[in-house]
C-alpha cells in the first residue's frame, strides 16, 4: 500500500514538474508566447490599451505578462488545477474541450497498438527462445532486427502507399467513416476499428521486434537456470513451466522498457496522427505548432504527460500481480 | 592508485642509479619508456584487441560495422567536397545539389539509374538526389554522435553515483530519473525545439534525446548495485580507495559494453526523432541537403511522391538510407552480445559447451 502511495505521489510530482516547465517556457523564454501573443493582438487591434491586451493574453494562456513572476505562477497553477487550460487562439474555444474530444481517439489507437506489440513481441520472443538456433529463430531474429530499424513514420508512409493508395484496401485518413453517425452502433465501432488499423499497424510492425529480441534473450537465460530443471524433474506440465516459470521470469527484467514504450507511443502519436490526419491529441498538438497556438500546445503537452503517468501507474500496479514480491513490500527493483 | 603508479615508476627508474651508481640518464629514460609503452600495449591488447577479435566473429558485427563505415565514408566524401581546407580546396567528388543543376526543366524528376551524372535520379526541381543524400550525411552524423554521447555520459554519471552512493543521493537521483522517464520525450522535444529553434547539429542531437538518459540511468544503477557487492570492490573499499576512483577503476569497466550498446541505441533514437521532426517540418529551417528528413518532406509535399507512382523513388531513397544506417547500428549492438557474456564467448571459441545465452540483453524500444 505504501508503495502505491509513493508511486501516486511521484506521478503528481511529475505533473507538477511538467506544469512548471510549461510555465517557464511560456512566460520567461525570450520572445515567449505571452509576448508574441501580445504583439499579435496589438497588430490586430491597434487602439487597445496595454492593460486590455494583457488581460486578453491572461485569458487566452492563463499567464498575465504584467504580473510579477510568482503571482503569475500561482495563478497559472490554480487555473490548471481547476482544469482551465486556457483558450485556443486558432479555434476560439477552451483548450480543455478540444482535448476532451481528441483524447479518446488517441487512447483507442494506443491501447490497440500496445496490446498487439506486447502480445506479438513476447509471444514470438518466447517461441524463438524455445527453438533457439532453428531456422525459425534465425529468420525471425533477422526480421525483428530489420523491422526495428524502420522508423514508424517510414512504415506509415509505406503502408499508406501500398494499402491505402495502390490497393485502396484501407482508408487514407480520418477517424471513422464519414457516412456513419457516431454512437454505439456496430457500423460505427467497426468503422472506427477499420480506420485505426493503419496507424496501429505502423507502430506494431516497427516495435514488436525489440520486445521479441529482448524476450528471446531473457527466456534463453531463464531456460538455463537450475530451477527450470528442478521443475521438469518434479514432473510439472510443460504449459505450467512455460507460463509460470519461464514466461514470468523473462518478462520481469523488461518492465522498464514497457514503461518507456508507453511514453514513447504517446509521443509518437504526434507524427503518426499528422501523417494519417487522425484527429487525436497528437494531431492537435502538431496543428498548434504549425499555427503557433501556444495554449493548445502547452495543454496537449500537459495532457499527454498526464496520460503517460496514468498508463505507467496502471502498468506499475499490474507489475505487482506478476511479481508478488513487490506487493509483499519488497524492494521495487524492476529491471 | 595514481600515487602507487607513480611510486612504482620512480622505483623502477631510480633502481639502476642506486644499484650501479652509474647515473646513466639514458638508462633511466629507457626503462621509463618501456614501462609506459608496455602498459599501453597491454591495455590496448586487453581492452581493445581481444574484445574486438571476439566481436568480429559475429556476422552481425561485421555487417553492422560495414554499414556504419559506409556512412562514415559518405560523410567524409561530403566533407572533402564541401571543404575549403588546405589541399581539399579544389577537390569536389560530389557536388552540393542546387535547383536545376544540370540545366533546364527536362532534368526534373529523372528516375534513378538513367545517367552517370545523377545515378539516383533528380527531384522535382532538378536536384541530384545522390548529392543530397551525401551532403546531408555530415550533419546527420554530428547530430547522432552528439546525442549518443550526451545520453551515455549523463546516464552513466547519474546511474553509477546513485547506485554506488545509495542512501539519500540514490533516492533523489532515482526520483529525478523516474520523473524524467515519464515525461513523454517527443512532445517535450517538439515544445522545446519550437521555442528555441536550434540550428547547430551539436545542439540538435542532445535536444532530440533530452530525457532519454533516464531509463538507461536506472538500468546502470541496477547493475552497479550488483557489482558493488563483489568482493574485489569491497577489497578496494577496505583499502581506503576513494569513491570516484573505485567507480572509475572497478565499476565502469564492467559496464563498458553495456554503455557502448546504449550509445548505439540512443544514436538510433536521435536519427529517428531527428529525421521525423525534419520530415514534418518542425525543425523547419532545412535546405534540401540538410537532412534526409528534409528530402523526404520535399518529396512528400512538393513532388507528391506518394500519389504519383513514378516519383515514389524520391521518397523511397532517403527512407532506405535512414533504414540502412539504423539497421547497421542495431546489428552492431546485437553483435556485441559476445562481449557481455563469457559463456557465449567460450561457446564461440569452443572451450566449454554450456547452454544459456545473453546475460544482459538489450531491448530496442
Amino acid at each position: 500500500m505504501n508503495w502505491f502511495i509513493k508511486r501516486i505521489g511521484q506521478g503528481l510530482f511529475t505533473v507538477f514538474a511538467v506544469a512548471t516547465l510549461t510555465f517557464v517556457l511560456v512566460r520567461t523564454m525570450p520572445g515567449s508566447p505571452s509576448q508574441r501573443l501580445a504583439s499579435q493582438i496589438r497588430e490586430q487591434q491597434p487602439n487597445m490599451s496595454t492593460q486590455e491586451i494583457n488581460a486578453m493574453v491572461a485569458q487566452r494562456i492563463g499567464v498575465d505578462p504584467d504580473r510579477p513572476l510568482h503571482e503569475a505562477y500561482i495563478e497559472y497553477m490554480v487555473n490548471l488545477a481547476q482544469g482551465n487550460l486556457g483558450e485556443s487562439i486558432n479555434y476560439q474555444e477552451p483548450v480543455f474541450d478540444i482535448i476532451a474530444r481528441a483524447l479518446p481517439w488517441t487512447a483507442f489507437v494506443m491501447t490497440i497498438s500496445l496490446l498487439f506489440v506486447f502480445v506479438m513481441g513476447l509471444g514470438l520472443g518466447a517461441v524463438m527462445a524455445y527453438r533457439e538456433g532453428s531456422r525459425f529463430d534465425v529468420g525471425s531474429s533477422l526480421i525483428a532486427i530489420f523491422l526495428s530499424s524502420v522508423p514508424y513514420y517510414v512504415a506509415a508512409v509505406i503502408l499508406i502507399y501500398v494499402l491505402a493508395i495502390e490497393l485502396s484496401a484501407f482508408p487514407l485518413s480520418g477517424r471513422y467513416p464519414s457516412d456513419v453517425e457516431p454512437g454505439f452502433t456496430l457500423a460505427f465501432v467497426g468503422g472506427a476499428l477499420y480506420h485505426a488499423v493503419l496507424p496501429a499497424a505502423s507502430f506494431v510492425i516497427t516495435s514488436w521486434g525489440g520486445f521479441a529480441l529482448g524476450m528471446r534473450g531473457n527466456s534463453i537465460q531463464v531456460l538455463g537456470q537450475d530451477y527450470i530443471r528442478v521443475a521438469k524433474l518434479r514432473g510439472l506440465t510443460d504449459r505450467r513451466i512455460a507460463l509460470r516459470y519461464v514466461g514470468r521470469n523473462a518478462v520481469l527484467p523488461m518492465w522498464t522498457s514497457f514503461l518507456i514504450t508507453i511514453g514513447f507511443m504517446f509521443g509518437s502519436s504526434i507524427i503518426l496522427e499528422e501523417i494519417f490526419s487522425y484527429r487525436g491529441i497528437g494531431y492537435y498538438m502538431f496543428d498548434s505548432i504549425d499555427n503557433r497556438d501556444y495554449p493548445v500546445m502547452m495543454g496537449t503537452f500537459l495532457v499527454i504527460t498526464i496520460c503517460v503517468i496514468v498508463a505507467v501507474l496502471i502498468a506499475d500496479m499490474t507489475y505487482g500481480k506478476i511479481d508478488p514480491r513487490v506487493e509483499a513490500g519488497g524492494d521495487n527493483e524492476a529491471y | 592508485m595514481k600515487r602507487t603508479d607513480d611510486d612504482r615508476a620512480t622505483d623502477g627508474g631510480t633502481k639502476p642509479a642506486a644499484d650501479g651508481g652509474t647515473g646513466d640518464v639514458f638508462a633511466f629514460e629507457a626503462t621509463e619508456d618501456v614501462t609506459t609503452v608496455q602498459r599501453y600495449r597491454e591495455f590496448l591488447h586487453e581492452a581493445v584487441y581481444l574484445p574486438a577479435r571476439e566481436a568480429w566473429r559475429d556476422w552481425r558485427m561485421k555487417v553492422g560495422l560495414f554499414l556504419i563505415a559506409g556512412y562514415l565514408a559518405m560523410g567524409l566524401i561530403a566533407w572533402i567536397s564541401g571543404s575549403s581546407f588546405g589541399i581539399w580546396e579544389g577537390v569536389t567528388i560530389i557536388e552540393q545539389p542546387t535547383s536545376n543543376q544540370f540545366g533546364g526543366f527536362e532534368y526534373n524528376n529523372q528516375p534513378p539509374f538513367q545517367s552517370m551524372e545523377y545515378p539516383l535520379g533528380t527531384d522535382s526541381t532538378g536536384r541530384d538526389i545522390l548529392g543530397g543524400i551525401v551532403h546531408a550525411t555530415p550533419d546527420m552524423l554530428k547530430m547522432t554522435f552528439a546525442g549518443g554521447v550526451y545520453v551515455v555520459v549523463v546516464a552513466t554519471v547519474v546511474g553509477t553515483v546513485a547506485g554506488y552512493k545509495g542512501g539519500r543521493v540514490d533516492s533523489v537521483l532515482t526520483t529525478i530519473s523516474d520523473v524524467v522517464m515519464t515525461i513523454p520525450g517527443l512532445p517535450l522535444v517538439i515544445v522545446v525545439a519550437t521555442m528555441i529553434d536550434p540550428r547547430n547539429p551539436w545542439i540538435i542531437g542532445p535536444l532530440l534525446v533530452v530525457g532519454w538518459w533516464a531509463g538507461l540511468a536506472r538500468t546502470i544503477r541496477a547493475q552497479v548495485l550488483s557489482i558493488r557487492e563483489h568482493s574485489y570492490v569491497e577489497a578496494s573499499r577496505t583499502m581506503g580507495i576513494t569513491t570516484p576512483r573505485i567507480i572509475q577503476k572497478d565499476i565502469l569497466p564492467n559496464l563498458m559494453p553495456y554503455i557502448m550498446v546504449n550509445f548505439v541505441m540512443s544514436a538510433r533514437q536521435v536519427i529517428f526523432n531527428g529525421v521525423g521532426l525534419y520530415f514534418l517540418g518542425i525543425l523547419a529551417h532545412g535546405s534540401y541537403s540538410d537532412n534526409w528528413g528534409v528530402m523526404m518532406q520535399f518529396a512528400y509535399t512538393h513532388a507528391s511522391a506518394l500519389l504519383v507512382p513514378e516519383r515514389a523513388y524520391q521518397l523511397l531513397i532517403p527512407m532506405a538510407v535512414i533504414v540502412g544506417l539504423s539497421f547497421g547500428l542495431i546489428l552492431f549492438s546485437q553483435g556485441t552480445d559476445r562481449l557481455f557474456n563469457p559463456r557465449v564467448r567460450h561457446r564461440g571459441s569452443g572451450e566449454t559447451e554450456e547452454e544459456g545465452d545473453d546475460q544482459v540483453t538489450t531491448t530496442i524500444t
Side-chain angles (χ1 to χ4, degrees):
Chain A
M1 212 43 222
N2 199 2
W3 174 68
F4 286 139
I5 293 170
K6 197 185 146 206
R7 284 277 147 186
I8 290 171
Q10 212 168 53
L12 287 176
F13 179 73
T14 314
V15 176
F16 171 76
V18 170
T20 308
L21 182 74
T22 55
F23 173 79
V24 169
L25 286 172
V26 170
R27 165 72 195 236
T28 58
M29 292 295 284
S32 70
S34 54
Q35 290 170 9
R36 282 193 213 177
L37 188 57
S39 58
Q40 217 171 316
I41 298 173
R42 195 168 290 125
E43 259 172 44
Q44 287 163 359
Q45 279 140 324
N47 41 12
M48 256 179 145
S49 74
T50 315
Q51 270 162 346
E52 277 174 318
I53 291 174
N54 282 347
M56 263 188 95
V57 171
Q59 193 213 341
R60 289 274 169 81
I61 58 180
V63 179
D64 189 337
D66 235 12
R67 311 255 304 270
L69 204 61
H70 60 278
E71 268 181 50
Y73 178 63
I74 291 168
E75 200 197 341
Y76 180 73
M77 283 303 191
V78 169
N79 273 333
L80 285 189
Q82 291 167 343
N84 179 6
L85 297 170
E87 195 180 302
S88 160
I89 300 169
N90 199 27
Y91 296 96
Q92 315 274 328
E93 63 174 320
V95 174
F96 187 86
D97 295 356
I98 298 176
I99 291 175
R101 256 183 288 130
L103 186 60
W105 293 96
T106 304
F108 174 62
V109 176
M110 288 296 120
T111 318
I112 296 176
S113 359
L114 269 173
L115 270 177
F116 272 92
V117 167
F118 291 166
V119 169
M120 271 182 73
L122 301 188
L124 278 172
V127 175
M128 277 150 72
Y130 267 96
R131 302 194 182 161
E132 191 204 350
S134 69
R135 196 175 292 170
F136 171 77
D137 176 33
V138 175
S140 7
S141 292
L142 194 61
I143 293 172
I145 293 177
F146 179 73
L147 288 179
S148 324
S149 48
V150 179
Y152 53 89
Y153 46 85
V154 168
V157 168
I158 292 175
L159 284 177
I160 287 185
Y161 180 66
V162 177
L163 292 178
I165 294 178
E166 292 295 303
L167 299 177
S168 305
F170 286 96
L172 187 61
S173 62
R175 305 184 292 196
Y176 52 85
S178 49
D179 52 345
V180 179
E181 279 291 303
F184 264 108
T185 56
L186 190 66
F188 178 70
V189 175
L193 276 172
Y194 186 53
H195 277 72
V197 168
L198 284 191
S202 38
F203 203 91
V204 173
I205 288 173
T206 51
S207 296
W208 69 271
F211 282 100
L213 292 173
M215 183 69 183
R216 172 183 175 274
N218 289 345
S219 302
I220 288 174
Q221 203 205 339
V222 173
L223 281 170
Q225 298 286 339
D226 288 337
Y227 57 78
I228 300 294
R229 204 168 296 163
V230 173
K232 277 181 190 153
L233 290 175
R234 273 172 67 201
L236 297 180
T237 57
D238 285 347
R239 188 188 153 79
R240 191 178 159 87
I241 293 178
L243 288 179
R244 287 241 157 169
Y245 285 68
V246 183
R248 214 182 227 195
N249 284 303
V251 167
L252 288 183
M254 297 174 64
W255 208 252
T256 316
S257 321
F258 284 154
L259 302 188
I260 294 173
T261 304
I262 297 175
F264 178 69
M265 290 187 67
F266 269 98
S268 63
S269 70
I270 302 174
I271 296 182
L272 270 188
E273 288 177 359
E274 169 62 20
I275 294 178
F276 286 101
S277 310
Y278 195 91
R279 285 166 178 271
I281 193 165
Y283 178 86
Y284 282 104
M285 184 165 185
F286 186 88
D287 186 67
S288 72
I289 291 161
D290 254 8
N291 299 311
R292 303 279 155 186
D293 192 344
Y294 292 101
V296 177
M297 189 161 130
M298 294 308 166
T300 44
F301 177 40
L302 209 57
V303 170
I304 290 178
T305 311
I306 293 171
C307 289
V308 173
I309 291 166
V310 170
V312 166
L313 257 178
I314 294 171
D316 253 354
M317 308 246 174
T318 49
Y319 182 67
K321 293 271 172 280
I322 310 174
D323 189 357
R325 285 168 294 192
V326 174
E327 279 194 334
D331 203 8
N332 175 37
E333 293 302 325
Y335 313 110
Chain B
M1 275 302 269
K2 186 149 201 154
R3 205 184 32 201
T4 44
D5 274 359
D6 291 345
D7 286 350
R8 208 184 296 140
T10 21
D11 273 359
T14 45
K15 240 177 205 161
D19 282 350
T22 49
D24 190 344
V25 185
F26 291 102
F28 172 82
E29 277 190 354
T31 4
E32 171 76 323
D33 220 29
V34 165
T35 36
T36 321
V37 168
Q38 263 176 347
R39 204 182 299 147
Y40 275 117
R41 196 173 286 163
E42 220 161 81
F43 173 79
L44 273 180
H45 188 75
E46 290 273 313
V48 179
Y49 175 70
L50 285 181
R53 196 189 60 183
E54 249 343 287
W56 187 249
R57 285 169 196 245
D58 197 307
W59 69 268
R60 292 172 294 190
M61 177 63 92
K62 279 179 202 158
V63 178
L65 276 180
F66 182 73
L67 279 168
I68 295 171
Y71 283 89
L72 289 177
M74 239 157 68
L76 193 67
I77 290 174
W79 182 77
I80 291 174
S81 305
S83 171
S84 54
F85 177 75
I87 55 161
W88 307 120
E89 173 86 61
V91 185
T92 302
I93 303 169
I94 292 170
E95 263 178 66
Q96 178 97 23
T98 47
S99 293
N100 295 322
Q101 67 185 100
F102 300 108
F105 294 115
E106 67 272 24
Y107 290 104
N108 293 356
N109 292 319
Q110 288 296 315
F113 314 121
Q114 299 289 310
S115 152
M116 280 311 287
E117 260 186 301
Y118 38 88
L120 293 179
T122 59
D123 84 331
S124 54
T125 56
R127 280 174 292 216
D128 179 22
I129 288 182
L130 178 69
I133 298 276
V134 169
H135 279 275
T137 315
D139 272 10
M140 217 43 224
L141 293 178
K142 280 181 211 163
M143 189 172 99
T144 311
F145 181 75
V149 169
Y150 159 80
V151 167
V152 161
V153 168
V154 176
T156 312
V157 170
V158 172
T160 43
V161 171
Y164 190 78
K165 282 294 233 185
R168 191 175 291 164
V169 178
D170 181 21
S171 54
V172 168
L173 288 178
T174 310
T175 311
I176 294 176
S177 323
D178 278 351
V179 168
V180 174
M181 209 171 82
T182 31
I183 299 177
L186 196 63
L188 177 67
V189 172
I190 289 177
V191 168
V192 176
T194 32
M195 294 285 175
I196 65 174
D197 192 21
R199 313 250 157 155
N200 187 331
W202 295 109
I203 294 170
I204 295 176
L207 180 68
L208 288 170
V209 280
V210 73
W212 197 253
W213 56 268
L216 177 60
R218 272 184 71 152
T219 330
I220 288 183
R221 172 180 165 273
Q223 306 250 331
V224 173
L225 280 182
S226 73
I227 294 173
R228 77 167 181 186
E229 302 304 327
H230 286 189
S231 44
Y232 60 86
V233 179
E234 216 177 308
S236 300
R237 222 178 1 241
T238 353
M239 280 158 64
I241 292 167
T242 57
T243 307
R245 195 98 201 129
I246 293 180
I247 290 179
Q248 197 192 334
K249 280 277 164 183
D250 292 340
I251 293 185
L252 276 186
N254 285 295
L255 295 172
M256 269 334 269
Y258 191 75
I259 291 172
M260 196 173 71
V261 167
N262 275 284
F263 171 78
V264 172
M265 297 324 286
S266 12
R268 164 179 166 272
Q269 194 59 33
V270 177
I271 298 171
F272 277 25
N273 280 352
V275 173
L277 294 194
Y278 274 107
F279 174 39
L280 291 189
I282 291 170
L283 287 170
H285 53 269
S287 67
Y288 188 66
S289 56
D290 264 5
N291 188 290
W292 301 322
V294 181
M295 300 182 68
M296 280 174 66
Q297 191 208 3
F298 272 68
Y300 195 77
T301 53
H302 296 264
S304 347
L306 262 190
L307 301 171
V308 187
E310 301 84 56
R311 294 185 191 169
Y313 69 95
Q314 293 181 20
L315 198 52
L316 283 174
I317 291 170
M319 290 197 316
V321 172
I322 297 155
V323 172
L325 179 54
S326 66
F327 189 51
L329 289 173
I330 294 181
L331 278 177
F332 175 81
S333 80
Q334 291 283 321
T336 51
D337 259 4
R338 282 165 178 281
L339 298 181
F340 281 135
N341 192 348
R343 277 204 230 156
V344 180
R345 204 187 290 185
H346 284 307
R347 186 166 59 182
S349 56
E351 281 172 32
T352 45
E353 279 185 28
E354 233 181 313
E355 46 183 297
D357 202 1
D358 325 346
Q359 261 182 340
V360 183
T361 43
T362 41
T363 312
I364 307 155
T365 39

